[in-house]
Amino acid sequence: MPVYKAPVEDVMFLLNDVFPIERHNNLPGFADATPDTVEAILAEGAKLCEEVFAPLNLSGDQEGCTRNPDGSVTTPKDFRQAYEAYAAGGWMGLAAPEEYGGQGLPSVLNTIMQEFVSSANLALGMYPGLTQGAIAALLVHGTEEQKKTYLPKMIEGAWTGTMNLTEPHCGTDLGLLKTKAVPNGDGSYAISGTKIFISAGEHDMAENIVHLVLARIEGAPQGTKGISLFVVPKFHVNGDGSLGDRNGVSCGSLEHKMGIHGNATCVMNYDGAKGWLVGEANRGLNAMFVMMNEARLAVGVQGLSQSEVAYQNAVAYAKDRLQGRALTGPKFPDRPADPIIVHPDVRRTLLSIKAFNEAARALIVWTGLNSDIAHRSSDDAQRQTAEDYMGLMTPVVKGVLTDLGFDNAVKAQQMFGGHGYIEEWGMSQFVRDARITQIYEGANGIQAMDLVGRKLGKDGGRAVMTFFNEVGAFCQENAGGESLKAYIVPLQQGLGHLQQATMWFMQNAMAKPDNAGAGATDYMHLFGLVAMGYMWAKMAKAAQARKAQGDGVADRMDAKLLTGRFFMERLMPETGMRLARISTGADTTMALPMEAF
Ligand SMILES: Cc1cc2nc3c(=O)[nH]c(=O)nc-3n(C[C@H](O)[C@H](O)[C@H](O)COP(=O)(O)OP(=O)(O)OC[C@H]3O[C@@H](n4cnc5c(N)ncnc54)[C@H](O)[C@@H]3O)c2cc1C
């Protein structure tokens, strides 16, 4: 049975020493989030994940979901109880507004909890995860009545939410969407069409399911400018809040898929289902973007989560599995062989994953704090900077953390040799589960195009220039001393490569857009490396300061500093390769005639 321990200590280092949460005391909800309270909350969340969610991961994968002849869906054994424990613990509304029953705590805590939940059981964690996305969309774009009708029940966890975008003929290009909405004359619409791949579309864990559905109002323009967003409950909600008749929406079938077997991926049939417009007509994509952006960050967190849990299991195995002797002579002469963790190649693999995990976690915490500032600050300038940062970083977090999350799950599986390929060890599941994170919420190639095509040039490049200035200023401030040199010099080099790549796009992609398309994925990864390198430089600085306080954490801080050095020596040099690839442009990529493929 795979093991999992939530990295609470590592998170607390981030929240206390690297990005002190106390500095944000002026934001609503933060005054209650003292370090002690935060640690207690996360320890409680860790317990739920380790003791309730994680033990159901393997069995949930093996059992999967079942669609019954009446169209209902049964989730794996004990999923419902685990979900109920999550809801009863108030986790759904941890960061939701108090007026709808939430606790109003910083949303960064929710983001951290998402990592724990997803590491413990990705498939199960998706049910509340999608609900939180739907809550966010309704909070921003719902009418007062819609908020009153749906939010308290969703925040309580009694009802769950979904997002319905994809149709058989359209995923990336939603402008092709066919699901139609016909006005009923009473303010509601009759929604008809087929949606596919809908996560948590039908299940047995909640009393009601609140579907957020993209559809085209009859007569609306073709393309993305004619799409509207609707709220369509599985059961109608009576005036007094009780549940009424079943709506015309049902699960036609379940997809048989590579991973996340415990999550019901549904074909959803809308047969004149009654729905209500959310936000303005024909501005549905805009409204859905609230949910999509939330979900993209959450999917980035999922990428890290699989890397983390796979790493923990690989470390345990590498300390236990005896094969061969260390190159420098036996380390455990009393045993028949040394544990494989003595071998440099095994250590290289494990450290690559560890160095990524800790940087990715820092990036997520930093992004989570920016999300809080963007949503809660009363200072316009501060909010603007945080919003810019979120826009820029969303495709990077989604694309880079899931690409590397999957790669790392494979690397961790490799540590098990042949046993990694055998299902009972659980490593195969981490690989299979991690794979979807690169695909859904916009395939990663699309994230890269979003970064290069939309985010770089937005507002005259304001966001990217702010990022460059911040990283550049940090390097300058800390370049003087010897102690941080091992972190600052590689970071400066990486930043230089990123700036050159950005300049190259400005000079070569306007007139020839294929140059942007051909270099986008390399650019996204180059960006991710610099962002994570920046995280490591900040963590190294904080670790040195913490070590100097001499409060019994020297070993832990030394491990931090060494892991950061490994990142700088072994992972950061990839920035040069990424720049070289980008600078070759699109000529060769586009020259091959289609028939030659
Ligand atoms: C398990 C699972 C769960 C899902 N859950 C949900 C859900 O809850 N709700 C929902 O609405 N959807 C969901 N999806 C759908 C998912 O978001 C889509 O599959 C995804 O967005 C890609 O769309 P597509 O499959 O149509 O691929 P396509 O859009 O056909 O893309 C195919 C490939 O072409 C590339 N491509 C397409 N257009 C371009 C372009 N312009 N430039 C460069 N490359 C391009 C893509 O990157 C991709 O690699 C889920 C899918 C799965 C498998």
Side-chain angles (χ1 to χ4, degrees):
M1 170 79 95
V3 293
Y4 176 62
K5 184 154 177 31
V8 177
E9 213 171 50
D10 198 37
V11 168
M12 290 315 296
F13 167 68
L14 293 171
L15 291 178
N16 287 334
D17 298 285
V18 188
F19 307 107
I21 192 166
E22 282 184 312
R23 276 196 202 148
H24 303 283
N25 266 347
N26 58 333
L27 296 179
F30 275 66
D32 295 333
T34 61
D36 286 349
T37 311
V38 168
E39 193 163 1
I41 292 171
L42 293 181
E44 203 52 43
K47 204 167 146 211
L48 176 76
C49 294
E50 291 162 8
E51 295 176 10
V52 181
F53 275 45
L56 303 180
N57 199 33
L58 196 60
S59 56
D61 179 59
Q62 285 162 352
E63 186 184 338
C65 297
T66 312
R67 181 183 176 278
N68 305 304
D70 64 355
S72 63
V73 168
T74 307
T75 53
K77 186 171 176 303
D78 295 335
F79 264 41
R80 184 187 175 127
Q81 286 84 339
Y83 173 78
E84 282 170 358
Y86 175 95
W91 295 105
M92 190 76 88
L94 189 70
E98 286 164 292
E99 64 175 307
Y100 298 110
Q103 298 179 57
L105 284 161
S107 72
V108 66
L109 300 185
N110 193 46
T111 306
I112 292 162
M113 183 64 180
Q114 278 172 350
E115 186 202 323
F116 299 175
V117 164
S118 305
S119 281
N121 196 324
L122 183 57
L124 176 51
M126 285 171 67
Y127 296 93
L130 281 152
T131 308
Q132 287 176 331
I135 290 170
L138 285 170
L139 270 170
V140 176
H141 293 287
T143 61
E144 277 315 306
E145 196 187 335
Q146 287 168 350
K147 288 183 199 176
K148 264 195 263 152
T149 306
Y150 299 107
L151 289 179
K153 285 288 187 186
M154 293 171 84
I155 287 169
E156 183 192 322
W159 301 353
T160 60
T162 69
M163 59 191 287
N164 291 238
L165 290 75
T166 309
E167 298 181 6
H169 56 281
C170 76
T172 303
D173 188 355
L174 291 168
L176 301 171
L177 186 142
K178 286 185 188 157
T179 297
K180 67 173 189 212
V182 181
N184 285 327
D186 60 356
S188 70
Y189 291 79
I191 315 281
S192 300
T194 301
K195 296 286 180 182
I196 62 166
F197 301 159
I198 304 308
S199 301
E202 179 60 58
H203 57 81
D204 55 359
M205 306 202 318
E207 296 159 11
N208 202 3
I209 303 177
V210 181
H211 302 290
L212 290 185
V213 186
L214 288 182
R216 199 181 298 280
I217 297 174
E218 233 182 4
Q222 289 305 305
T224 51
K225 292 200 163 66
I227 298 174
S228 303
L229 179 65
F230 297 87
V231 58
V232 184
K234 172 178 164 183
F235 287 101
H236 289 299
V237 184
N238 298 322
D240 63 358
S242 62
L243 293 184
D245 295 340
R246 182 78 197 248
N247 204 352
V249 49
S250 59
C251 168
S253 63
L254 288 183
E255 305 291 357
H256 297 277
K257 56 193 193 289
M258 176 177 174
I260 52 166
H261 292 156
N263 195 270
T265 308
C266 305
V267 172
M268 298 301 293
N269 296 326
Y270 289 84
D271 300 311
K274 210 174 203 186
W276 288 265
L277 189 64
V278 178
E280 283 175 52
N282 299 335
R283 301 264 300 149
L285 264 191
N286 185 48
M288 191 57 123
F289 254 111
V290 175
M291 185 159 183
M292 281 151 75
N293 280 334
E294 288 270 327
R296 283 178 180 177
L297 291 173
V299 173
V301 174
Q302 290 178 350
L304 163 64
S305 78
Q306 296 310 286
S307 180
E308 173 66 31
V309 68
Y311 165 78
Q312 289 188 16
N313 284 279
V315 168
Y317 191 80
K319 288 180 179 172
D320 194 50
R321 176 72 171 169
L322 306 182
Q323 293 290 296
R325 288 295 184 190
L327 294 175
T328 49
K331 294 285 172 273
F332 295 85
D334 53 324
R335 298 199 208 163
D338 283 337
I340 59 171
I341 198 162
V342 302
H343 304 308
D345 192 57
V346 168
R347 298 174 70 93
R348 174 194 62 81
T349 307
L350 293 176
L351 263 168
S352 302
I353 311 176
K354 180 175 166 62
F356 163 82
N357 288 350
E358 293 176 25
R361 184 168 301 115
L363 191 59
I364 276 167
V365 166
W366 190 38
T367 308
L369 282 169
N370 270 291
S371 170
D372 276 315
I373 295 168
H375 288 111
R376 300 181 189 208
S377 176
S378 52
D379 177 333
D380 289 347
Q382 201 191 28
R383 216 174 43 235
Q384 174 80 80
T385 308
E387 275 168 15
D388 284 355
Y389 170 82
M390 295 296 293
L392 186 68
M393 230 29 120
T394 299
V396 176
V397 167
K398 196 294 180 174
V400 176
L401 269 52
T402 60
D403 274 355
L404 295 180
F406 174 74
D407 288 354
N408 287 341
V410 172
K411 282 185 184 143
Q413 180 190 36
Q414 187 77 6
M415 295 297 87
F416 282 67
H419 301 277
Y421 202 68
I422 305 301
E423 289 293 341
E424 72 186 72
W425 286 92
M427 298 308 283
S428 157
Q429 184 188 355
F430 299 138
V431 171
R432 289 185 287 101
D433 284 1
R435 186 67 183 88
I436 187 58
T437 64
Q438 298 172 285
I439 298 172
Y440 61 19
E441 272 323 312
N444 283 356
I446 303 304
Q447 302 300 329
M449 287 302 294
D450 178 41
L451 176 66
V452 171
R454 290 182 56 234
K455 302 296 172 58
L456 282 190
K458 196 164 177 274
D459 305 311
R462 189 175 68 203
V464 76
M465 289 315 294
T466 307
F467 177 77
F468 290 167
N469 289 340
E470 177 171 341
V471 180
F474 181 88
C475 289
Q476 251 180 359
E477 271 164 38
N478 296 286
E482 273 301 300
S483 63
L484 282 175
K485 206 169 157 191
Y487 308 91
I488 298 295
V489 172
L491 176 59
Q492 274 172 323
Q493 260 166 15
L495 178 64
H497 291 150
L498 181 61
Q499 286 169 322
Q500 284 176 59
T502 311
M503 189 61 77
W504 193 90
F505 279 139
M506 282 166 66
Q507 289 164 350
N508 297 284
M510 296 285 195
K512 213 168 154 191
D514 280 344
N515 279 331
T521 289
D522 282 303
Y523 185 84
M524 180 178 76
H525 280 278
L526 170 49
F527 210 113
L529 282 164
V530 173
M532 288 192 284
Y534 179 42
M535 294 298 102
W536 265 120
K538 284 180 85 74
M539 286 193 284
K541 187 174 179 179
Q544 286 177 353
R546 186 69 198 275
K547 200 178 152 189
Q549 288 168 12
D551 52 357
V553 291
D555 288 352
R556 205 149 61 78
M557 294 304 118
D558 281 342
K560 251 303 158 214
L561 289 162
L562 267 174
T563 309
R565 283 187 75 134
F566 181 91
F567 184 93
M568 293 301 179
E569 289 172 10
R570 291 300 192 113
L571 303 184
M572 208 57 186
E574 197 183 308
T575 57
M577 179 199 78
R578 297 282 181 185
L579 171 63
R581 283 184 183 163
I582 291 164
S583 317
T584 62
D587 289 349
T588 320
T589 309
M590 300 312 285
L592 200 66
M594 221 194 266
E595 314 77 62
F597 276 93

